[in-house]
Every structure is written in structure tokens, then in C-alpha cells.
Amino acid sequence: RKEVEQDPGPFNVPEGATVAFNCTYSNSASQSFFWYRQDCRKEPKLLMSVYSSGNEDGRFTAQLNRASQYISLLIRDSKLSDSATYLCVVNRDIYGGSQGNLIFGKGTKLSVKP
Amino acid sequence: NAGVTQTPKFRILKIGQSMTLQCAQDMNHNYMYWYRQDPGMGLKLIYYSVGAGITDKGEVPNGYNVSRSTTEDFPLRLELAAPSQTSVYFCASMHSGNQPQHFGDGTRLSIL
């Protein structure tokens, strides 16, 4: 299994649709999980951290399943401005993330159409 | 807040030339990183630093060098530019382990 694996997409959805991205990771000792957003030719920007209990930020909901080593991101009522590449990010370190090295998935491209 | 600042934003080099990509952060973060991203590909870690005076190799360090003399600055040096180093370079910083990284807006480097 790759360290972090995502469906590359692209996901082409109409405005207002609900879209879900999935991600799997290989290191069962990973402790930190994030979703980043990257617009074309721009830097990655933190979208949200992912907590064990699941968390929500407006239209965005992130879930973590440690047993299955699986992370998800749900976007409800998608907007044109949501068009971007979404990166699943997991910390690499075995011993609690002391070095903070993150593994970035290759990303899932989302295109929201009018 | 400036955050992570990278300079230059764009640069064209000839094969064999050298240059330094600058990265500075004003958030007093201990951890700093250099990544490269080739078109359509994911981020690859070049070098990282967990504090002033400490640096370590990432997954693609060949052809690059770094130094970390201060907490704020983490320059990346290309000694003998090669076409394979054409890429977008991102610098990132982080306060401590288990925190997210914050990125600069990148340096687009072409080597011809």
C-alpha cells in the first residue's frame, strides 16, 4: 500500500452537489491528519485538520477511521470556488510526530461546473 | 502577517549555474521544509530542519543543499543547475510536531 493514496479524479460535479473524497494511509502509527486545498499553480493551503471524532467546518466534514486507516472529506452544496485539488496529508513519524514530516497525497482534482 | 515568504517568485537559469532560493518565516516556527512539485505531481520533500543548526535530507536531496543559521531563514542552494530541477519549489514551516504546515507561495524555476 502507498503511504497515502487518493483517487486522482477528476471529479466533475454541478454546483450544489455533494462530493466525497477518500484517502487511505499505510502507517498505523500516524497521529496527525489534514486536508489541504491547492489551486492551480498556487501553494497548498490548510483546509482543515481531521480529528478522531470527526469534525465539521461549514460545508466541509472530515472523518477519520483509524481501524481502516481511512480519511474522508465531504463537501456539501459545492460552489464554483471549490474547484481545486484536495490533498490528503498524514504525518510520517512513527514516534508521535516529533519531526513533523508530513506525507502529501497526490491529490484529487475537483471541478465544479455551473 | 507575512507568514512564510519566498524569493524570488520566478527564475530562469542556464544549465550549470547556481542560485539560492530564499525562505523566511516570521512565526517563530522551529520546523521548516523545502518541497518541489513537478507538473501534475505531488509534493516531494527535499530537505527539512527541526531547528536552527539542524538540517536533514528528505526523499529527493540530490543536487541541493540547505543551511539553517537562524530560526527565521532556511535557504535552499542549487549548485549546478540541471534541467531535471525545473520545478515549483515550496517552503513551509510549522510550530511543532502534529501541527499543520504553512506554505510560502512558491518559486517557479526553469533551467534551460
Side-chain angles (χ1 to χ4, degrees):
Chain A
R1 179 190 267 187
K2 290 182 182 177
E3 288 187 290
V4 177
E5 198 157 8
Q6 296 182 250
D7 183 336
F11 283 40
N12 298 309
V13 303
E15 267 188 296
T18 295
V19 61
F21 302 135
N22 303 318
C23 168
T24 56
Y25 62 95
S26 61
N27 184 356
S28 60
S30 292
Q31 297 292 327
S32 305
F33 309 92
F34 309 98
W35 283 101
Y36 277 71
R37 167 195 171 126
Q38 186 173 25
D39 293 287
C40 187
R41 298 176 64 80
K42 298 285 190 180
E43 76 275 20
K45 291 184 177 178
L46 178 67
L47 180 66
M48 58 198 304
S49 302
V50 186
Y51 303 116
S52 296
S53 55
N55 47 301
E56 188 174 306
D57 183 2
R59 299 182 292 109
F60 300 85
T61 300
Q63 297 279 350
L64 168 64
N65 183 323
R66 286 187 184 272
S68 301
Q69 294 175 213
Y70 170 95
I71 306 162
S72 66
L73 176 69
L74 185 74
I75 305 176
R76 291 181 298 278
D77 187 24
S78 53
K79 312 290 185 191
L80 296 176
S81 57
D82 293 334
S83 296
T85 297
Y86 290 82
L87 309 177
C88 175
V89 183
V90 176
N91 81 305
R92 168 177 281 126
D93 299 290
I94 297 173
Y95 302 111
S98 61
Q99 291 184 318
N101 285 6
L102 299 180
I103 311 165
F104 286 79
K106 292 186 177 180
T108 299
K109 187 172 183 179
L110 172 66
S111 181
V112 181
K113 305 292 187 184
Chain B
N1 289 338
V4 180
T5 303
Q6 291 185 239
T7 56
K9 294 198 183 324
F10 305 93
R11 185 73 184 268
I12 297 174
L13 283 181
K14 293 182 179 178
I15 294 171
Q17 285 186 319
S18 61
M19 79 163 292
T20 299
L21 282 65
Q22 301 291 345
C23 176
Q25 52 90 11
D26 61 0
M27 298 175 281
N28 201 32
H29 285 174
N30 289 319
Y31 300 80
M32 295 187 75
Y33 305 84
W34 275 106
Y35 295 91
R36 62 176 286 174
Q37 187 174 34
D38 299 329
M41 303 297 286
L43 293 165
K44 294 183 179 179
L45 181 64
I46 305 172
Y47 269 96
Y48 66 96
S49 169
V50 299
I54 306 168
T55 63
D56 212 340
K57 296 178 180 179
E59 57 184 308
V60 290
N62 291 344
Y64 306 94
N65 278 300
V66 293
S67 60
R68 184 93 184 270
S69 56
T70 66
T71 299
E72 294 79 17
D73 300 298
F74 190 40
L76 177 72
R77 179 89 177 156
L78 281 71
E79 291 294 351
L80 287 171
S84 61
Q85 294 176 306
T86 293
S87 192
V88 180
Y89 291 83
F90 290 108
C91 179
S93 74
M94 184 180 73
H95 179 258
S96 60
N98 293 329
Q99 298 296 308
Q101 293 177 11
H102 301 270
F103 284 79
D105 54 11
T107 294
R108 282 155 183 78
L109 181 63
S110 293
I111 297 156
L112 306 175

